Amino acid sequence: MVDRTEAEVAIIGAGAAGLSLAHHLLAAGAGAPDIALIEAPPGPLRPPERTWCFWEEGPGRYDEVLSARWSRLRVKDREGTPFPLDLGPYRYKMLRSGAFERFVADGFRGRSVRRFEAAVDEVRDTADGAEVRAARADGGRLALRARWVFDSRPVRRLPDARTHLLQHFRGWFVRSERPVFDPATADLMDFHCPQPARGLAFVYALPLSDREALVEYTLFSADPLPAEAYRRALRSHLRGAYGLTDFEIGSTESGVIPMTDGRFPGQAGARVFRIGTAGGATRPSTGYTFAAVQRQSRAIAAALRRGGTPRPPAAYPARARLLDAVMLHALDSGRLDGPRFFTDLFRTVPAPRLLRFLDGETGWRQDLAIGLRVPIGPMAGALARLPLLPKRPAGRRPPVRPAHGADA
């Protein structure tokens, strides 16, 4: 049996990108479009609970459902020496996917939003929009026609690129019987941990109280590690940094995010657009995605209100993408000492300016000033070599599960 229905806007996927777009579309009030949200049924296609982090100036739209926020961050070098970061007007914010979904779903009540559980297997153009075909959880079929379709599913094949790295991580929500964490300060990057032969690794520690924290071992490298390697690194860090040998692990999260200079096409059909990581919202040099998803969602909603084509804008300017391509190649080729690069950058550039740069919101003069703080030799060598490198396909497609900083 085929369930045939129509909507003005169809959104495929109920991760950060899909839910954020629905939320921003509904902000138009009475002028909001009729929305169909298609989410994967329970099972391997639906991602588990995960964490997104982002920085924001002042109060934000999602403050009431944050798990935590910090006004102070720090970076630790390879020897464990800490460098505090003054965020100025910014706050670093942590949001859990379950709380975010409940918050957005509350806004659906009484609005023109219909939710479907189905696995999408085809999206094709029609004369006046597109049709989404999917297998429903009850065994039936769904045929949904929409004027506009926004697809947040991971791409089947990563784009050809000069550099293919992965950001891969495993994190534990840990609880100690004694106070060991500073709830006012989060460790953005602690490089005092096992480093790969090429690339870099750091520990990311977000305290929720003086006894609880999310602690993640994160690497930028070509391949994920065996599960035991993440566990060893996390236990070693908790013992060395906090003196913890006996602690409770409440839950875990892990993921793999592509870090590549390949271009993710934003359009998949005449009226079909990709959003989230699939649409290029992940910053290649960091893996952060959530803030870019919000910018794209606001732009799409504004275009629909104006009656224009709601094509998602580029998440980052061309200048930022070039700088990322240079950094990724320098890191992948072994020209660049990754821990030293990031430590020096955070130590010498004021944190608010660097955060604006990472969001792609600085001008060329500010970018040039930041560029003068990086290792000129390795970066210049990577820049000169970049045009000579062929674009190549990625190896096996990683299971893209964006978490802190990424979606969708």
Side-chain angles (χ1 to χ4, degrees), residues 3-26:
D3 181 6
R4 299 185 181 278
T5 187
E6 296 183 357
E8 185 174 355
V9 170
I11 300 173
I12 304 173
L19 291 174
S20 295
L21 179 55
H23 178 68
H24 284 280
L25 290 173
L26 291 176

Side-chain angles (χ1 to χ4, degrees), residues 30-165:
D34 173 30
I35 300 170
L37 179 64
I38 307 171
E39 54 190 318
L45 294 179
R46 182 179 291 189
E49 176 85 0
R50 55 221 184 274
T51 304
W52 301 307
C53 286
F54 57 100
W55 49 86
E56 191 170 36
E57 189 172 353
R61 183 182 290 263
Y62 309 121
D63 280 3
E64 66 184 81
V65 289
L66 294 175
S67 296
R69 77 190 81 188
W70 299 269
S71 59
R72 297 200 302 267
L73 299 178
R74 65 186 173 188
V75 172
K76 294 182 181 179
D77 65 16
R78 251 190 297 239
E79 287 69 45
T81 305
F83 300 95
L85 305 178
D86 179 4
L87 300 186
Y90 288 94
R91 295 294 179 267
Y92 194 67
K93 301 181 178 184
M94 174 183 176
L95 178 60
R96 295 283 282 161
S97 60
F100 179 68
E101 181 175 357
R102 290 188 292 273
F103 172 81
V104 173
D106 283 346
F108 292 169
R109 295 196 180 101
R111 309 298 299 277
S112 54
V113 180
R114 288 169 293 156
R115 301 182 73 166
F116 301 92
E117 282 192 356
V120 173
D121 48 40
E122 183 184 7
V123 182
R124 61 183 184 86
D125 288 331
T126 63
D128 56 354
E131 184 176 70
V132 180
R133 292 180 174 269
R136 301 189 61 147
D138 60 7
R141 297 285 300 174
L142 173 68
L144 169 65
R145 284 182 171 256
R147 185 181 179 197
W148 305 104
V149 175
F150 299 92
D151 191 350
S152 69
R153 292 173 301 163
V155 295
R156 293 181 179 276
R157 177 182 176 275
L158 293 176
D160 291 356
R162 301 177 184 90
T163 304
H164 292 283
L165 288 177

Side-chain angles (χ1 to χ4, degrees), residues 250-273:
S251 61
T252 67
E253 62 179 35
S254 60
V256 180
I257 302 170
M259 302 182 71
T260 171
D261 62 352
R263 296 293 300 274
F264 288 79
Q267 194 157 359
R271 291 173 178 254
V272 181
F273 302 100

Side-chain angles (χ1 to χ4, degrees), residues 174-183 209-213 237-248:
V174 299
R175 178 174 176 80
S176 166
E177 290 299 320
R178 55 190 175 85
V180 296
F181 302 111
D182 175 6
S209 71
D210 60 2
R211 299 168 190 259
E212 297 173 289
H237 185 82
L238 289 166
R239 182 174 59 250
Y242 305 104
L244 284 179
T245 56
D246 185 20
F247 51 87
E248 178 185 341

